[in-house]
Amino acid sequence: MFARLHLCSHLPPRIRQVKVNPASIRTFSQAKFSHPRSHGKSFAHRSELKQAKRIVVKLGSAVVTRGDECGLALGRLASIVEQVAMLQNQGREMMIVTSGAVAFGKQRLRHEILLSQSVRQALHSGQNQLKEMAIPVLEARACAAAGQSGLMALYEAMFTQYSICTAQILVTNLDFHDEQKRRNLNSTLLELLRMNIVPIINTNDAVVPPPVPSSDLQGVNVISIKDNDSLAARLAVEMKVDLLIALSDVQGLYDSPPGTDDAKLIDIFYPGDQQSVTYGTKSRVGIGGMEAKVKAALWALQGGSSVVIANGTDPKVTGHVITDIVEGKKVGTFFSEVKPAGPTVEQQTEMARHAGRSLASLLPEQRGEIICSLAELLTEKKDEILSANKRDMEMATSSGRFSQALIDRLSLSTAKLNSLAIGLRQLAVSSRDSVGRVLRRTRIANNLELEQITVPIGVLLVIFESRPDCLPQVSALAIASGNALLLKGGKEASNTNRILHQLTQEALSIHGVADAIQLVSTREEVEDLCRLNKIIDLIIPRGSSQLVRDIQRAAKGIPVLGHSEGVCHVYIDSEASIDKAVDIVRDSKCDYPAACNAMETLLIHRDLLRTPIFDQIIDMLRTEHVKIHAGPRFASYLTFSPSEVKSLRTEYGDLECCIEVVDSMQDAVDHIHKYGSSHTDVIVTENEETAEQFLQQVDSACVFFNSSSRFADGYRFGLGAEVGISTARIHARGPVGLEGLLTTKWVLRGEGHSVADFSEQGSMKYLHENLPVPQGSFN
């Protein structure tokens, strides 16, 4: 459709044009308009933007104009119209302040000039010369006059596709400084909003007078309309707008010109922060620069409207930038008058990175001291910890929003704290030679030696649900491996997490590195944290399979270490021991059914059906109140069977399991490969040859023989603690302890060597001799 809209003369005159004229405008009583919230105070947090009812979207010249500055970016404009229409149809009141008339008019006038050239001149000039024919410099006011009607006709055609009517309003600076005209403008806009019409406002660039110098951004009541930024700000305050979205050709406000070294996007900008920003040049089109945008935004903020400056030209985000902002996502720069008491998450991450480097440079004994101190604090302060945990448990139970499995994970006890302390002390001992350990040494040539050593990954982000015992475990592993750590726990465990983090920082402070571990307690959404790819090196989710999947989708260029689900199997072979089978199944399913290493599917050899071993297993499960679901083959053997399972890939996380029948060990392996999650799988048999085949063939992170699946745990493996269990096939697999949080670097020691020395004409030859690896750490 838009291919036919390149000239405004081709469009029907369907626009509703409104001129601000005292004689022709009917006054509309503001009392008829019911606004959802009292205006006068902007939103303090991004998450509150979802409540925005009245919204102005300002489209800068670079957003609506093509790269050649002649004509409009139709595809980009169409996606913006779609988003505005979507929000309008949700019941919000949308207004657009748009540029583009000059560009549209320039396209039309250039076209008319070319057509008006003499046909004879065109024929004699030749095709190539015709293309290079000089076009006179076009005056901007003339372009605006020629382009305004076409621009509005285009908007009308686009919004009509969503059954939305638009109206045009052209204003100048005088329309705001003349009190009667200002009231008329306000009344007109309110009437249009009441009628569910989207007003499209633009400065009347064909006749616009110069700004009034004496009234430029000097207070809430006056602002000089110099460009569409100042127009949008003035409009936002006049109309008591909840949110002003200013779209430009940059991601938002940077602390220095975008593209320069170390330029950082400012997530939240507060009044008074102007001194921390260095502004660059203006946009390639338009008349306003970022400094003008910031001044206008702060003026609107002072008047009670929230403001977001964001990118409206990036093809990766254009199709959802407006709706993302309204949904409260971290897009662009959010202007807020409420400065948080603590640091932002970006500042926390930078603090953690800086302190983490100091942590990594400590002696192994010093890091061990910190971990032992934390272990002692867990037992010394257990009453305070359990009191905080009790408050979390009571709130979680009374809310009715959490399953029993999640509440069980939330619970702490004296036994759990004691077990944590033991694991931490074990980790402190085993981690003495972790960071800086030499893995290999090679003599490349005479007096040229190479070493590969272990080093920290950098900054870790661990996101965990319910389980507060995760916090000291992960913290101890980060300390042992010299990594900085950012922790994001669930709100349901906020009291417990807070005191555990305080104890962690207390332990870290004995060597002056308290900032190395940070707890995110702001309103940051997990999806926003996953976008911090420039300052976070690895994300580790600990929680439900849904949490892991959500984080894997949300991660923007950051590796994610985790398992998708914990669909663990126990296979009872035809040659299994009755006692072993019953005990292993009981422990695997009933010891802690909410754990990711609990059995979810029991595979039974066909020959065991209607035998004592089968009967005893079923009786035990019933005694333990385990709800049984029948797999398709198992159900076919029974006259009256339990409910047939809906999916063989279900992780129940409770006293439930599936029972399925297989014909052989190989059949069990095939079933695990098809329906399992590569977490933990078990065989119970007295035939060692069968067991070895199972252990070799099952491609899971943990594969066990005659032992419970619940052994899949970092502490039980002797790792001291774990950050989680990984089912990935790179970097780390299974329970991820200290080794999984280290990477390597290569250190070369020479005496002025150069590669040219080893060329055919050079004087040196490669040796590549393996050398003994020394004991102890690099540092």
Side-chain angles (χ1 to χ4, degrees), residues 349 353 357 456-461 483-486 529 532-540 557-561 731 743:
T349 309
R353 183 186 292 278
R357 287 167 179 158
I457 289 174
V459 179
L460 312 177
L461 168 61
N483 284 290
L485 177 61
L486 204 62
L529 292 172
L532 302 177
N533 58 303
K534 293 185 178 179
I535 49 180
I536 292 175
D537 300 295
L538 178 66
I539 301 176
I540 304 173
I558 310 175
V560 178
L561 183 68
H731 176 58
T743 185

Side-chain angles (χ1 to χ4, degrees), residues 245-262:
I245 300 174
L247 296 184
S248 181
D249 57 351
V250 292
Q251 301 297 331
L253 175 61
Y254 287 78
D255 58 1
S256 57
T260 60
D261 292 342
D262 301 323

Side-chain angles (χ1 to χ4, degrees), residues 603-675:
L603 299 177
I604 296 181
H605 194 285
R606 180 185 57 186
D607 293 347
L608 296 180
L609 291 176
R610 301 182 180 88
T611 65
I613 187 172
F614 174 79
D615 294 339
Q616 288 189 35
I617 290 173
I618 296 299
D619 289 342
M620 179 274 296
L621 291 174
R622 286 174 176 166
T623 301
E624 297 289 345
H625 305 290
V626 176
K627 183 178 180 180
I628 297 173
H629 302 276
R633 291 199 62 194
F634 181 47
S636 68
Y637 283 96
L638 304 173
T639 305
F640 300 100
S641 69
S643 61
E644 187 167 339
V645 68
K646 295 180 179 178
S647 171
L648 291 168
R649 294 187 176 92
T650 302
E651 181 180 14
Y652 298 99
D654 206 345
L655 286 174
E656 295 182 62
C657 74
C658 168
I659 296 180
E660 182 59 309
V661 174
V662 293
D663 292 333
S664 64
M665 182 275 295
Q666 189 60 52
D667 196 14
V669 170
D670 294 341
H671 180 102
I672 291 169
H673 286 165
K674 184 174 182 178
Y675 300 107

Side-chain angles (χ1 to χ4, degrees), residues 264-301:
K264 293 180 181 178
L265 179 66
I266 298 174
D267 171 39
I268 305 178
F269 190 78
Y270 305 98
D273 285 354
Q274 293 94 316
Q275 301 302 319
S276 63
V277 177
T278 302
Y279 296 102
T281 58
K282 295 182 179 180
S283 169
R284 63 175 174 83
V285 290
I287 59 175
M290 183 55 72
E291 186 172 9
K293 289 177 174 57
V294 171
K295 287 182 178 179
L298 290 174
W299 193 89
L301 185 69

Side-chain angles (χ1 to χ4, degrees), residues 373-609:
S373 174
L374 177 57
E376 292 170 7
L377 288 170
L378 289 177
T379 53
E380 289 176 8
K381 305 288 186 179
K382 67 178 181 180
D383 291 340
E384 297 176 38
I385 298 170
L386 294 177
S387 176
N389 186 247
K390 182 180 178 182
R391 293 197 298 274
D392 288 331
M393 291 282 291
E394 289 171 350
M395 286 189 289
T397 303
S398 61
S399 71
R401 295 186 295 110
F402 300 99
S403 66
Q404 188 58 46
L406 282 176
I407 292 177
D408 290 344
R409 292 177 181 177
L410 177 60
S411 174
L412 287 182
S413 63
T414 300
K416 272 190 179 182
L417 292 176
N418 289 338
S419 178
L420 275 172
I422 293 170
L424 265 55
R425 293 188 183 97
Q426 180 183 347
L427 177 63
V429 174
S430 64
S431 66
R432 294 293 168 86
D433 297 324
S434 56
V435 180
R437 188 173 74 255
V438 179
L439 299 178
R440 70 173 67 185
R441 294 179 67 211
T442 304
R443 180 178 289 117
I444 293 180
N446 291 332
N447 300 321
L448 185 62
E449 292 186 2
L450 178 70
E451 288 183 337
Q452 184 187 27
I453 64 172
T454 57
V455 293
I457 289 174
V459 179
L460 312 177
L461 168 61
V462 176
I463 303 170
F464 57 101
E465 293 175 323
S466 297
R467 306 166 85 157
D469 54 327
C470 170
L471 194 151
Q473 282 186 343
V474 174
S475 297
L477 284 166
I479 294 166
S481 58
N483 284 290
L485 177 61
L486 204 62
L487 292 158
K488 174 65 173 175
K491 294 178 182 178
E492 67 279 359
S494 58
N495 292 300
T496 315
N497 289 336
R498 190 178 304 113
I499 188 171
L500 289 173
H501 178 247
Q502 290 171 357
L503 298 179
T504 302
Q505 290 199 310
E506 182 178 339
L508 286 163
S509 64
I510 65 177
H511 287 295
V513 288
D515 288 340
I517 296 179
Q518 299 283 330
L519 179 65
V520 179
S521 55
T522 61
R523 298 191 179 200
E524 298 293 331
E525 298 292 337
V526 168
E527 185 174 344
D528 294 330
L529 292 172
C530 292
R531 290 193 177 105
L532 302 177
N533 58 303
K534 293 185 178 179
I535 49 180
I536 292 175
D537 300 295
L538 178 66
I539 301 176
I540 304 173
R542 290 196 61 171
S544 66
S545 57
Q546 186 61 50
L547 172 72
V548 177
R549 286 194 294 268
D550 289 344
I551 291 173
Q552 288 171 333
R553 282 194 295 265
K556 304 296 182 182
I558 310 175
V560 178
L561 183 68
H563 63 85
S564 56
E565 292 169 311
V567 183
C568 303
H569 297 77
V570 174
Y571 164 57
I572 310 299
D573 186 54
S574 60
E575 299 179 69
S577 159
I578 292 180
D579 294 338
K580 290 179 183 177
V582 172
D583 291 343
I584 289 171
V585 172
R586 178 190 289 112
D587 193 74
S588 296
K589 179 71 263 184
C590 307
D591 176 66
Y592 188 19
C596 63
N597 57 15
M599 180 195 80
E600 305 295 4
T601 298
L602 175 63
L603 299 177
I604 296 181
H605 194 285
R606 180 185 57 186
D607 293 347
L608 296 180
L609 291 176

